[in-house]
Amino acid sequence: MYDLVLGESTSAGDTIFVLLAFLLLLLVLKKFAWKPLMGIMEERERQISKNIDSAENSRIEANRLAVEGKEKMDETRNEALTILNNARENGERIKRDMLEKAKEDAERIKAEAQLDIEIEKQKAIESVKSDVSQLSMEIAAKLIGKELTSEGHAALIDEYIEGLADDK
């Protein structure tokens, strides 16, 4: 059976020689190639591990930044809503104040106008009284044919004017 694997011309000495050469080659490879190869493999493993850790840290940082950005966006949105609400409230308050001031001004102007009307009315009444008094004296003078004095008939004229004012 060994003959089939090793062939017919292989002897035990050749097998030992091949085995020793193989072991010697294995020792040389272990000394000169295996350690540097293992060093390269360990360095590569460390580099891959470092890259995995770096990628994980980057992912965690990206998630943190995404959450932080969302929080800032929400905060900014809330601030904007607050500013808009304050602006609306201020606008409404200013509108109410302006309407109230306009109403007060209108009331004041109306009261001043009524006062002016009352003053003008009193002036007109006094003017009419004076004109009526003057006219009455002229009419009476023409009817009687002589001039009436204001002292003598002042009470009569005032009484007549008062009667006219009470009738209205």
Side-chain angles (χ1 to χ4, degrees), residues 68-106:
E68 187 176 297
K70 184 180 181 306
E71 288 173 354
K72 284 185 179 181
M73 185 70 88
D74 290 343
E75 184 178 310
T76 302
R77 185 177 296 119
N78 289 338
E79 287 176 9
L81 288 174
T82 301
I83 289 169
L84 284 174
N85 288 337
N86 288 342
R88 278 190 200 114
E89 289 173 3
N90 286 340
E92 289 295 321
R93 183 181 45 78
I94 289 170
K95 179 181 170 184
R96 281 191 311 271
D97 291 348
M98 289 177 71
L99 285 174
E100 186 176 317
K101 186 174 184 329
K103 285 179 183 177
E104 289 173 358
D105 288 346

PDB file of all heavy atoms in Angstrom, residues 68-106:
ATOM      1  N   GLU A  68     -28.765  65.550  18.172  1.00  0.00           N
ATOM      2  CA  GLU A  68     -28.505  66.927  18.579  1.00  0.00           C
ATOM      3  C   GLU A  68     -29.061  67.904  17.539  1.00  0.00           C
ATOM      4  O   GLU A  68     -29.672  68.921  17.895  1.00  0.00           O
ATOM      5  CB  GLU A  68     -26.993  67.123  18.730  1.00  0.00           C
ATOM      6  CG  GLU A  68     -26.587  68.447  19.313  1.00  0.00           C
ATOM      7  CD  GLU A  68     -25.082  68.516  19.504  1.00  0.00           C
ATOM      8  OE1 GLU A  68     -24.564  67.717  20.302  1.00  0.00           O
ATOM      9  OE2 GLU A  68     -24.451  69.359  18.851  1.00  0.00           O
ATOM     10  N   GLY A  69     -28.865  67.587  16.251  1.00  0.00           N
ATOM     11  CA  GLY A  69     -29.411  68.440  15.197  1.00  0.00           C
ATOM     12  C   GLY A  69     -30.925  68.490  15.242  1.00  0.00           C
ATOM     13  O   GLY A  69     -31.524  69.546  15.047  1.00  0.00           O
ATOM     14  N   LYS A  70     -31.550  67.339  15.493  1.00  0.00           N
ATOM     15  CA  LYS A  70     -33.014  67.307  15.595  1.00  0.00           C
ATOM     16  C   LYS A  70     -33.484  68.137  16.786  1.00  0.00           C
ATOM     17  O   LYS A  70     -34.461  68.882  16.686  1.00  0.00           O
ATOM     18  CB  LYS A  70     -33.501  65.869  15.720  1.00  0.00           C
ATOM     19  CG  LYS A  70     -35.011  65.739  15.723  1.00  0.00           C
ATOM     20  CD  LYS A  70     -35.444  64.301  15.860  1.00  0.00           C
ATOM     21  CE  LYS A  70     -36.938  64.148  15.835  1.00  0.00           C
ATOM     22  NZ  LYS A  70     -37.669  64.924  16.771  1.00  0.00           N
ATOM     23  N   GLU A  71     -32.770  68.015  17.908  1.00  0.00           N
ATOM     24  CA  GLU A  71     -33.144  68.796  19.093  1.00  0.00           C
ATOM     25  C   GLU A  71     -33.004  70.290  18.808  1.00  0.00           C
ATOM     26  O   GLU A  71     -33.874  71.080  19.176  1.00  0.00           O
ATOM     27  CB  GLU A  71     -32.271  68.399  20.280  1.00  0.00           C
ATOM     28  CG  GLU A  71     -32.585  67.027  20.850  1.00  0.00           C
ATOM     29  CD  GLU A  71     -31.584  66.581  21.916  1.00  0.00           C
ATOM     30  OE1 GLU A  71     -30.571  67.296  22.136  1.00  0.00           O
ATOM     31  OE2 GLU A  71     -31.803  65.518  22.509  1.00  0.00           O
ATOM     32  N   LYS A  72     -31.904  70.668  18.141  1.00  0.00           N
ATOM     33  CA  LYS A  72     -31.713  72.090  17.819  1.00  0.00           C
ATOM     34  C   LYS A  72     -32.781  72.563  16.848  1.00  0.00           C
ATOM     35  O   LYS A  72     -33.271  73.687  16.954  1.00  0.00           O
ATOM     36  CB  LYS A  72     -30.316  72.323  17.239  1.00  0.00           C
ATOM     37  CG  LYS A  72     -29.237  72.290  18.288  1.00  0.00           C
ATOM     38  CD  LYS A  72     -27.876  72.639  17.727  1.00  0.00           C
ATOM     39  CE  LYS A  72     -26.838  72.604  18.835  1.00  0.00           C
ATOM     40  NZ  LYS A  72     -25.511  72.964  18.351  1.00  0.00           N
ATOM     41  N   MET A  73     -33.137  71.702  15.886  1.00  0.00           N
ATOM     42  CA  MET A  73     -34.177  72.055  14.929  1.00  0.00           C
ATOM     43  C   MET A  73     -35.505  72.243  15.651  1.00  0.00           C
ATOM     44  O   MET A  73     -36.231  73.209  15.385  1.00  0.00           O
ATOM     45  CB  MET A  73     -34.302  70.959  13.867  1.00  0.00           C
ATOM     46  CG  MET A  73     -35.284  71.303  12.769  1.00  0.00           C
ATOM     47  SD  MET A  73     -34.678  72.596  11.718  1.00  0.00           S
ATOM     48  CE  MET A  73     -33.802  71.611  10.552  1.00  0.00           C
ATOM     49  N   ASP A  74     -35.813  71.337  16.575  1.00  0.00           N
ATOM     50  CA  ASP A  74     -37.054  71.470  17.356  1.00  0.00           C
ATOM     51  C   ASP A  74     -37.021  72.738  18.198  1.00  0.00           C
ATOM     52  O   ASP A  74     -38.022  73.462  18.289  1.00  0.00           O
ATOM     53  CB  ASP A  74     -37.259  70.241  18.251  1.00  0.00           C
ATOM     54  CG  ASP A  74     -37.600  68.988  17.462  1.00  0.00           C
ATOM     55  OD1 ASP A  74     -37.993  69.109  16.281  1.00  0.00           O
ATOM     56  OD2 ASP A  74     -37.455  67.878  18.028  1.00  0.00           O
ATOM     57  N   GLU A  75     -35.874  73.003  18.807  1.00  0.00           N
ATOM     58  CA  GLU A  75     -35.727  74.203  19.637  1.00  0.00           C
ATOM     59  C   GLU A  75     -35.902  75.454  18.787  1.00  0.00           C
ATOM     60  O   GLU A  75     -36.597  76.391  19.182  1.00  0.00           O
ATOM     61  CB  GLU A  75     -34.341  74.186  20.286  1.00  0.00           C
ATOM     62  CG  GLU A  75     -34.083  75.320  21.245  1.00  0.00           C
ATOM     63  CD  GLU A  75     -32.709  75.196  21.882  1.00  0.00           C
ATOM     64  OE1 GLU A  75     -32.382  74.108  22.380  1.00  0.00           O
ATOM     65  OE2 GLU A  75     -31.975  76.200  21.858  1.00  0.00           O
ATOM     66  N   THR A  76     -35.290  75.462  17.608  1.00  0.00           N
ATOM     67  CA  THR A  76     -35.413  76.607  16.705  1.00  0.00           C
ATOM     68  C   THR A  76     -36.855  76.769  16.249  1.00  0.00           C
ATOM     69  O   THR A  76     -37.373  77.888  16.187  1.00  0.00           O
ATOM     70  CB  THR A  76     -34.490  76.411  15.483  1.00  0.00           C
ATOM     71  OG1 THR A  76     -33.149  76.247  15.946  1.00  0.00           O
ATOM     72  CG2 THR A  76     -34.559  77.589  14.543  1.00  0.00           C
ATOM     73  N   ARG A  77     -37.518  75.666  15.945  1.00  0.00           N
ATOM     74  CA  ARG A  77     -38.920  75.715  15.537  1.00  0.00           C
ATOM     75  C   ARG A  77     -39.778  76.282  16.668  1.00  0.00           C
ATOM     76  O   ARG A  77     -40.652  77.122  16.436  1.00  0.00           O
ATOM     77  CB  ARG A  77     -39.400  74.319  15.146  1.00  0.00           C
ATOM     78  CG  ARG A  77     -40.816  74.301  14.587  1.00  0.00           C
ATOM     79  CD  ARG A  77     -41.265  72.910  14.126  1.00  0.00           C
ATOM     80  NE  ARG A  77     -40.449  72.453  13.020  1.00  0.00           N
ATOM     81  CZ  ARG A  77     -39.682  71.368  13.042  1.00  0.00           C
ATOM     82  NH1 ARG A  77     -39.646  70.614  14.110  1.00  0.00           N
ATOM     83  NH2 ARG A  77     -38.970  71.026  12.001  1.00  0.00           N
ATOM     84  N   ASN A  78     -39.516  75.825  17.889  1.00  0.00           N
ATOM     85  CA  ASN A  78     -40.276  76.332  19.037  1.00  0.00           C
ATOM     86  C   ASN A  78     -40.023  77.821  19.243  1.00  0.00           C
ATOM     87  O   ASN A  78     -40.948  78.579  19.552  1.00  0.00           O
ATOM     88  CB  ASN A  78     -39.929  75.548  20.298  1.00  0.00           C
ATOM     89  CG  ASN A  78     -40.488  74.140  20.268  1.00  0.00           C
ATOM     90  OD1 ASN A  78     -41.432  73.854  19.542  1.00  0.00           O
ATOM     91  ND2 ASN A  78     -39.903  73.248  21.040  1.00  0.00           N
ATOM     92  N   GLU A  79     -38.753  78.248  19.094  1.00  0.00           N
ATOM     93  CA  GLU A  79     -38.440  79.672  19.232  1.00  0.00           C
ATOM     94  C   GLU A  79     -39.156  80.484  18.158  1.00  0.00           C
ATOM     95  O   GLU A  79     -39.696  81.561  18.435  1.00  0.00           O
ATOM     96  CB  GLU A  79     -36.932  79.896  19.149  1.00  0.00           C
ATOM     97  CG  GLU A  79     -36.169  79.441  20.368  1.00  0.00           C
ATOM     98  CD  GLU A  79     -34.655  79.582  20.213  1.00  0.00           C
ATOM     99  OE1 GLU A  79     -34.197  80.190  19.222  1.00  0.00           O
ATOM    100  OE2 GLU A  79     -33.938  79.081  21.090  1.00  0.00           O
ATOM    101  N   ALA A  80     -39.165  79.956  16.930  1.00  0.00           N
ATOM    102  CA  ALA A  80     -39.844  80.656  15.838  1.00  0.00           C
ATOM    103  C   ALA A  80     -41.338  80.770  16.127  1.00  0.00           C
ATOM    104  O   ALA A  80     -41.944  81.832  15.909  1.00  0.00           O
ATOM    105  CB  ALA A  80     -39.600  79.939  14.513  1.00  0.00           C
ATOM    106  N   LEU A  81     -41.938  79.696  16.624  1.00  0.00           N
ATOM    107  CA  LEU A  81     -43.360  79.737  16.967  1.00  0.00           C
ATOM    108  C   LEU A  81     -43.627  80.737  18.085  1.00  0.00           C
ATOM    109  O   LEU A  81     -44.621  81.465  18.057  1.00  0.00           O
ATOM    110  CB  LEU A  81     -43.857  78.342  17.362  1.00  0.00           C
ATOM    111  CG  LEU A  81     -43.996  77.336  16.222  1.00  0.00           C
ATOM    112  CD1 LEU A  81     -44.346  75.952  16.781  1.00  0.00           C
ATOM    113  CD2 LEU A  81     -45.052  77.788  15.234  1.00  0.00           C
ATOM    114  N   THR A  82     -42.727  80.763  19.062  1.00  0.00           N
ATOM    115  CA  THR A  82     -42.870  81.719  20.162  1.00  0.00           C
ATOM    116  C   THR A  82     -42.783  83.148  19.638  1.00  0.00           C
ATOM    117  O   THR A  82     -43.587  84.006  20.022  1.00  0.00           O
ATOM    118  CB  THR A  82     -41.779  81.471  21.229  1.00  0.00           C
ATOM    119  OG1 THR A  82     -41.899  80.132  21.714  1.00  0.00           O
ATOM    120  CG2 THR A  82     -41.908  82.443  22.382  1.00  0.00           C
ATOM    121  N   ILE A  83     -41.824  83.393  18.746  1.00  0.00           N
ATOM    122  CA  ILE A  83     -41.676  84.733  18.180  1.00  0.00           C
ATOM    123  C   ILE A  83     -42.919  85.110  17.382  1.00  0.00           C
ATOM    124  O   ILE A  83     -43.431  86.235  17.507  1.00  0.00           O
ATOM    125  CB  ILE A  83     -40.400  84.801  17.302  1.00  0.00           C
ATOM    126  CG1 ILE A  83     -39.153  84.747  18.198  1.00  0.00           C
ATOM    127  CG2 ILE A  83     -40.383  86.059  16.446  1.00  0.00           C
ATOM    128  CD1 ILE A  83     -37.854  84.549  17.437  1.00  0.00           C
ATOM    129  N   LEU A  84     -43.426  84.172  16.586  1.00  0.00           N
ATOM    130  CA  LEU A  84     -44.639  84.449  15.805  1.00  0.00           C
ATOM    131  C   LEU A  84     -45.833  84.721  16.718  1.00  0.00           C
ATOM    132  O   LEU A  84     -46.614  85.652  16.476  1.00  0.00           O
ATOM    133  CB  LEU A  84     -44.954  83.277  14.880  1.00  0.00           C
ATOM    134  CG  LEU A  84     -44.083  83.161  13.627  1.00  0.00           C
ATOM    135  CD1 LEU A  84     -44.398  81.874  12.884  1.00  0.00           C
ATOM    136  CD2 LEU A  84     -44.297  84.355  12.720  1.00  0.00           C
ATOM    137  N   ASN A  85     -45.978  83.917  17.754  1.00  0.00           N
ATOM    138  CA  ASN A  85     -47.094  84.124  18.688  1.00  0.00           C
ATOM    139  C   ASN A  85     -46.970  85.469  19.383  1.00  0.00           C
ATOM    140  O   ASN A  85     -47.970  86.181  19.550  1.00  0.00           O
ATOM    141  CB  ASN A  85     -47.165  82.981  19.703  1.00  0.00           C
ATOM    142  CG  ASN A  85     -47.659  81.694  19.080  1.00  0.00           C
ATOM    143  OD1 ASN A  85     -48.332  81.702  18.063  1.00  0.00           O
ATOM    144  ND2 ASN A  85     -47.316  80.573  19.693  1.00  0.00           N
ATOM    145  N   ASN A  86     -45.747  85.811  19.800  1.00  0.00           N
ATOM    146  CA  ASN A  86     -45.538  87.114  20.443  1.00  0.00           C
ATOM    147  C   ASN A  86     -45.854  88.251  19.480  1.00  0.00           C
ATOM    148  O   ASN A  86     -46.460  89.259  19.871  1.00  0.00           O
ATOM    149  CB  ASN A  86     -44.106  87.239  20.961  1.00  0.00           C
ATOM    150  CG  ASN A  86     -43.852  86.382  22.181  1.00  0.00           C
ATOM    151  OD1 ASN A  86     -44.780  85.949  22.854  1.00  0.00           O
ATOM    152  ND2 ASN A  86     -42.599  86.130  22.466  1.00  0.00           N
ATOM    153  N   ALA A  87     -45.432  88.088  18.221  1.00  0.00           N
ATOM    154  CA  ALA A  87     -45.704  89.126  17.222  1.00  0.00           C
ATOM    155  C   ALA A  87     -47.211  89.272  17.008  1.00  0.00           C
ATOM    156  O   ALA A  87     -47.726  90.394  16.908  1.00  0.00           O
ATOM    157  CB  ALA A  87     -45.001  88.787  15.913  1.00  0.00           C
ATOM    158  N   ARG A  88     -47.916  88.137  16.939  1.00  0.00           N
ATOM    159  CA  ARG A  88     -49.376  88.201  16.781  1.00  0.00           C
ATOM    160  C   ARG A  88     -50.017  88.900  17.979  1.00  0.00           C
ATOM    161  O   ARG A  88     -50.902  89.747  17.819  1.00  0.00           O
ATOM    162  CB  ARG A  88     -49.944  86.792  16.655  1.00  0.00           C
ATOM    163  CG  ARG A  88     -49.838  86.224  15.282  1.00  0.00           C
ATOM    164  CD  ARG A  88     -50.643  84.924  15.146  1.00  0.00           C
ATOM    165  NE  ARG A  88     -50.157  84.187  14.013  1.00  0.00           N
ATOM    166  CZ  ARG A  88     -49.542  83.023  14.061  1.00  0.00           C
ATOM    167  NH1 ARG A  88     -49.359  82.429  15.218  1.00  0.00           N
ATOM    168  NH2 ARG A  88     -49.115  82.436  12.975  1.00  0.00           N
ATOM    169  N   GLU A  89     -49.582  88.502  19.174  1.00  0.00           N
ATOM    170  CA  GLU A  89     -50.148  89.112  20.386  1.00  0.00           C
ATOM    171  C   GLU A  89     -49.860  90.607  20.416  1.00  0.00           C
ATOM    172  O   GLU A  89     -50.745  91.402  20.758  1.00  0.00           O
ATOM    173  CB  GLU A  89     -49.581  88.423  21.630  1.00  0.00           C
ATOM    174  CG  GLU A  89     -50.099  87.012  21.833  1.00  0.00           C
ATOM    175  CD  GLU A  89     -49.385  86.290  22.974  1.00  0.00           C
ATOM    176  OE1 GLU A  89     -48.532  86.914  23.647  1.00  0.00           O
ATOM    177  OE2 GLU A  89     -49.678  85.103  23.181  1.00  0.00           O
ATOM    178  N   ASN A  90     -48.620  90.979  20.070  1.00  0.00           N
ATOM    179  CA  ASN A  90     -48.271  92.407  20.047  1.00  0.00           C
ATOM    180  C   ASN A  90     -49.096  93.143  19.005  1.00  0.00           C
ATOM    181  O   ASN A  90     -49.557  94.266  19.246  1.00  0.00           O
ATOM    182  CB  ASN A  90     -46.780  92.588  19.771  1.00  0.00           C
ATOM    183  CG  ASN A  90     -45.923  92.228  20.965  1.00  0.00           C
ATOM    184  OD1 ASN A  90     -46.400  92.196  22.088  1.00  0.00           O
ATOM    185  ND2 ASN A  90     -44.660  91.946  20.715  1.00  0.00           N
ATOM    186  N   GLY A  91     -49.282  92.516  17.845  1.00  0.00           N
ATOM    187  CA  GLY A  91     -50.103  93.133  16.801  1.00  0.00           C
ATOM    188  C   GLY A  91     -51.537  93.328  17.258  1.00  0.00           C
ATOM    189  O   GLY A  91     -52.133  94.391  17.031  1.00  0.00           O
ATOM    190  N   GLU A  92     -52.087  92.307  17.887  1.00  0.00           N
ATOM    191  CA  GLU A  92     -53.457  92.412  18.402  1.00  0.00           C
ATOM    192  C   GLU A  92     -53.554  93.489  19.487  1.00  0.00           C
ATOM    193  O   GLU A  92     -54.511  94.260  19.521  1.00  0.00           O
ATOM    194  CB  GLU A  92     -53.931  91.059  18.953  1.00  0.00           C
ATOM    195  CG  GLU A  92     -54.199  90.019  17.895  1.00  0.00           C
ATOM    196  CD  GLU A  92     -55.346  90.402  16.989  1.00  0.00           C
ATOM    197  OE1 GLU A  92     -56.352  90.959  17.475  1.00  0.00           O
ATOM    198  OE2 GLU A  92     -55.218  90.166  15.771  1.00  0.00           O
ATOM    199  N   ARG A  93     -52.540  93.516  20.367  1.00  0.00           N
ATOM    200  CA  ARG A  93     -52.542  94.521  21.441  1.00  0.00           C
ATOM    201  C   ARG A  93     -52.446  95.919  20.847  1.00  0.00           C
ATOM    202  O   ARG A  93     -53.185  96.829  21.248  1.00  0.00           O
ATOM    203  CB  ARG A  93     -51.375  94.270  22.404  1.00  0.00           C
ATOM    204  CG  ARG A  93     -51.345  95.236  23.582  1.00  0.00           C
ATOM    205  CD  ARG A  93     -50.166  94.977  24.499  1.00  0.00           C
ATOM    206  NE  ARG A  93     -48.911  94.767  23.836  1.00  0.00           N
ATOM    207  CZ  ARG A  93     -48.140  95.732  23.316  1.00  0.00           C
ATOM    208  NH1 ARG A  93     -48.532  96.994  23.390  1.00  0.00           N
ATOM    209  NH2 ARG A  93     -47.000  95.446  22.737  1.00  0.00           N
ATOM    210  N   ILE A  94     -51.567  96.095  19.873  1.00  0.00           N
ATOM    211  CA  ILE A  94     -51.416  97.405  19.235  1.00  0.00           C
ATOM    212  C   ILE A  94     -52.715  97.787  18.534  1.00  0.00           C
ATOM    213  O   ILE A  94     -53.163  98.933  18.616  1.00  0.00           O
ATOM    214  CB  ILE A  94     -50.223  97.387  18.252  1.00  0.00           C
ATOM    215  CG1 ILE A  94     -48.914  97.329  19.040  1.00  0.00           C
ATOM    216  CG2 ILE A  94     -50.246  98.607  17.344  1.00  0.00           C
ATOM    217  CD1 ILE A  94     -47.687  97.060  18.182  1.00  0.00           C
ATOM    218  N   LYS A  95     -53.335  96.821  17.875  1.00  0.00           N
ATOM    219  CA  LYS A  95     -54.606  97.070  17.193  1.00  0.00           C
ATOM    220  C   LYS A  95     -55.675  97.511  18.196  1.00  0.00           C
ATOM    221  O   LYS A  95     -56.395  98.490  17.967  1.00  0.00           O
ATOM    222  CB  LYS A  95     -55.044  95.795  16.469  1.00  0.00           C
ATOM    223  CG  LYS A  95     -56.353  95.910  15.736  1.00  0.00           C
ATOM    224  CD  LYS A  95     -56.692  94.581  15.086  1.00  0.00           C
ATOM    225  CE  LYS A  95     -58.096  94.554  14.540  1.00  0.00           C
ATOM    226  NZ  LYS A  95     -58.439  93.242  13.995  1.00  0.00           N
ATOM    227  N   ARG A  96     -55.764  96.757  19.323  1.00  0.00           N
ATOM    228  CA  ARG A  96     -56.744  97.121  20.355  1.00  0.00           C
ATOM    229  C   ARG A  96     -56.452  98.515  20.909  1.00  0.00           C
ATOM    230  O   ARG A  96     -57.369  99.323  21.091  1.00  0.00           O
ATOM    231  CB  ARG A  96     -56.720  96.097  21.489  1.00  0.00           C
ATOM    232  CG  ARG A  96     -57.462  94.827  21.203  1.00  0.00           C
ATOM    233  CD  ARG A  96     -57.633  93.978  22.454  1.00  0.00           C
ATOM    234  NE  ARG A  96     -56.418  93.782  23.212  1.00  0.00           N
ATOM    235  CZ  ARG A  96     -55.544  92.796  23.041  1.00  0.00           C
ATOM    236  NH1 ARG A  96     -55.764  91.884  22.121  1.00  0.00           N
ATOM    237  NH2 ARG A  96     -54.467  92.704  23.791  1.00  0.00           N
ATOM    238  N   ASP A  97     -55.161  98.786  21.189  1.00  0.00           N
ATOM    239  CA  ASP A  97     -54.784 100.092  21.728  1.00  0.00           C
ATOM    240  C   ASP A  97     -55.137 101.214  20.751  1.00  0.00           C
ATOM    241  O   ASP A  97     -55.646 102.266  21.153  1.00  0.00           O
ATOM    242  CB  ASP A  97     -53.287 100.136  22.052  1.00  0.00           C
ATOM    243  CG  ASP A  97     -52.914  99.256  23.243  1.00  0.00           C
ATOM    244  OD1 ASP A  97     -53.837  98.797  23.955  1.00  0.00           O
ATOM    245  OD2 ASP A  97     -51.704  99.025  23.450  1.00  0.00           O
ATOM    246  N   MET A  98     -54.851 100.962  19.463  1.00  0.00           N
ATOM    247  CA  MET A  98     -55.144 101.990  18.461  1.00  0.00           C
ATOM    248  C   MET A  98     -56.649 102.220  18.345  1.00  0.00           C
ATOM    249  O   MET A  98     -57.097 103.369  18.242  1.00  0.00           O
ATOM    250  CB  MET A  98     -54.548 101.589  17.109  1.00  0.00           C
ATOM    251  CG  MET A  98     -53.025 101.675  17.071  1.00  0.00           C
ATOM    252  SD  MET A  98     -52.326 101.119  15.509  1.00  0.00           S
ATOM    253  CE  MET A  98     -52.827 102.443  14.433  1.00  0.00           C
ATOM    254  N   LEU A  99     -57.427 101.115  18.371  1.00  0.00           N
ATOM    255  CA  LEU A  99     -58.881 101.266  18.308  1.00  0.00           C
ATOM    256  C   LEU A  99     -59.407 102.003  19.539  1.00  0.00           C
ATOM    257  O   LEU A  99     -60.272 102.880  19.427  1.00  0.00           O
ATOM    258  CB  LEU A  99     -59.557  99.894  18.186  1.00  0.00           C
ATOM    259  CG  LEU A  99     -59.470  99.222  16.819  1.00  0.00           C
ATOM    260  CD1 LEU A  99     -60.039  97.815  16.893  1.00  0.00           C
ATOM    261  CD2 LEU A  99     -60.215 100.042  15.774  1.00  0.00           C
ATOM    262  N   GLU A 100     -58.873 101.649  20.692  1.00  0.00           N
ATOM    263  CA  GLU A 100     -59.305 102.311  21.927  1.00  0.00           C
ATOM    264  C   GLU A 100     -58.948 103.797  21.893  1.00  0.00           C
ATOM    265  O   GLU A 100     -59.770 104.642  22.249  1.00  0.00           O
ATOM    266  CB  GLU A 100     -58.639 101.626  23.125  1.00  0.00           C
ATOM    267  CG  GLU A 100     -59.111 102.130  24.459  1.00  0.00           C
ATOM    268  CD  GLU A 100     -58.492 101.362  25.608  1.00  0.00           C
ATOM    269  OE1 GLU A 100     -58.425 100.130  25.518  1.00  0.00           O
ATOM    270  OE2 GLU A 100     -58.074 102.028  26.580  1.00  0.00           O
ATOM    271  N   LYS A 101     -57.728 104.096  21.435  1.00  0.00           N
ATOM    272  CA  LYS A 101     -57.301 105.494  21.347  1.00  0.00           C
ATOM    273  C   LYS A 101     -58.164 106.236  20.332  1.00  0.00           C
ATOM    274  O   LYS A 101     -58.558 107.387  20.571  1.00  0.00           O
ATOM    275  CB  LYS A 101     -55.831 105.574  20.957  1.00  0.00           C
ATOM    276  CG  LYS A 101     -55.286 106.988  20.996  1.00  0.00           C
ATOM    277  CD  LYS A 101     -53.810 107.006  20.736  1.00  0.00           C
ATOM    278  CE  LYS A 101     -53.166 108.344  20.839  1.00  0.00           C
ATOM    279  NZ  LYS A 101     -53.880 109.511  20.517  1.00  0.00           N
ATOM    280  N   ALA A 102     -58.477 105.577  19.206  1.00  0.00           N
ATOM    281  CA  ALA A 102     -59.317 106.208  18.193  1.00  0.00           C
ATOM    282  C   ALA A 102     -60.715 106.489  18.754  1.00  0.00           C
ATOM    283  O   ALA A 102     -61.285 107.557  18.501  1.00  0.00           O
ATOM    284  CB  ALA A 102     -59.403 105.321  16.948  1.00  0.00           C
ATOM    285  N   LYS A 103     -61.246 105.525  19.529  1.00  0.00           N
ATOM    286  CA  LYS A 103     -62.563 105.737  20.146  1.00  0.00           C
ATOM    287  C   LYS A 103     -62.508 106.892  21.143  1.00  0.00           C
ATOM    288  O   LYS A 103     -63.410 107.732  21.181  1.00  0.00           O
ATOM    289  CB  LYS A 103     -63.037 104.462  20.845  1.00  0.00           C
ATOM    290  CG  LYS A 103     -63.514 103.397  19.905  1.00  0.00           C
ATOM    291  CD  LYS A 103     -63.956 102.148  20.656  1.00  0.00           C
ATOM    292  CE  LYS A 103     -64.358 101.040  19.711  1.00  0.00           C
ATOM    293  NZ  LYS A 103     -64.725  99.809  20.410  1.00  0.00           N
ATOM    294  N   GLU A 104     -61.431 106.909  21.948  1.00  0.00           N
ATOM    295  CA  GLU A 104     -61.283 108.000  22.925  1.00  0.00           C
ATOM    296  C   GLU A 104     -61.159 109.343  22.211  1.00  0.00           C
ATOM    297  O   GLU A 104     -61.777 110.332  22.628  1.00  0.00           O
ATOM    298  CB  GLU A 104     -60.050 107.749  23.801  1.00  0.00           C
ATOM    299  CG  GLU A 104     -60.210 106.605  24.785  1.00  0.00           C
ATOM    300  CD  GLU A 104     -58.916 106.281  25.516  1.00  0.00           C
ATOM    301  OE1 GLU A 104     -57.870 106.925  25.239  1.00  0.00           O
ATOM    302  OE2 GLU A 104     -58.942 105.376  26.363  1.00  0.00           O
ATOM    303  N   ASP A 105     -60.372 109.366  21.131  1.00  0.00           N
ATOM    304  CA  ASP A 105     -60.226 110.609  20.368  1.00  0.00           C
ATOM    305  C   ASP A 105     -61.565 111.024  19.769  1.00  0.00           C
ATOM    306  O   ASP A 105     -61.915 112.213  19.781  1.00  0.00           O
ATOM    307  CB  ASP A 105     -59.181 110.445  19.256  1.00  0.00           C
ATOM    308  CG  ASP A 105     -57.760 110.373  19.798  1.00  0.00           C
ATOM    309  OD1 ASP A 105     -57.551 110.712  20.989  1.00  0.00           O
ATOM    310  OD2 ASP A 105     -56.854 109.977  19.032  1.00  0.00           O
ATOM    311  N   ALA A 106     -62.297 110.045  19.234  1.00  0.00           N
ATOM    312  CA  ALA A 106     -63.607 110.351  18.648  1.00  0.00           C
ATOM    313  C   ALA A 106     -64.560 110.899  19.717  1.00  0.00           C
ATOM    314  O   ALA A 106     -65.279 111.877  19.466  1.00  0.00           O
ATOM    315  CB  ALA A 106     -64.188 109.104  17.992  1.00  0.00           C
TER     316      ALA A 106
END
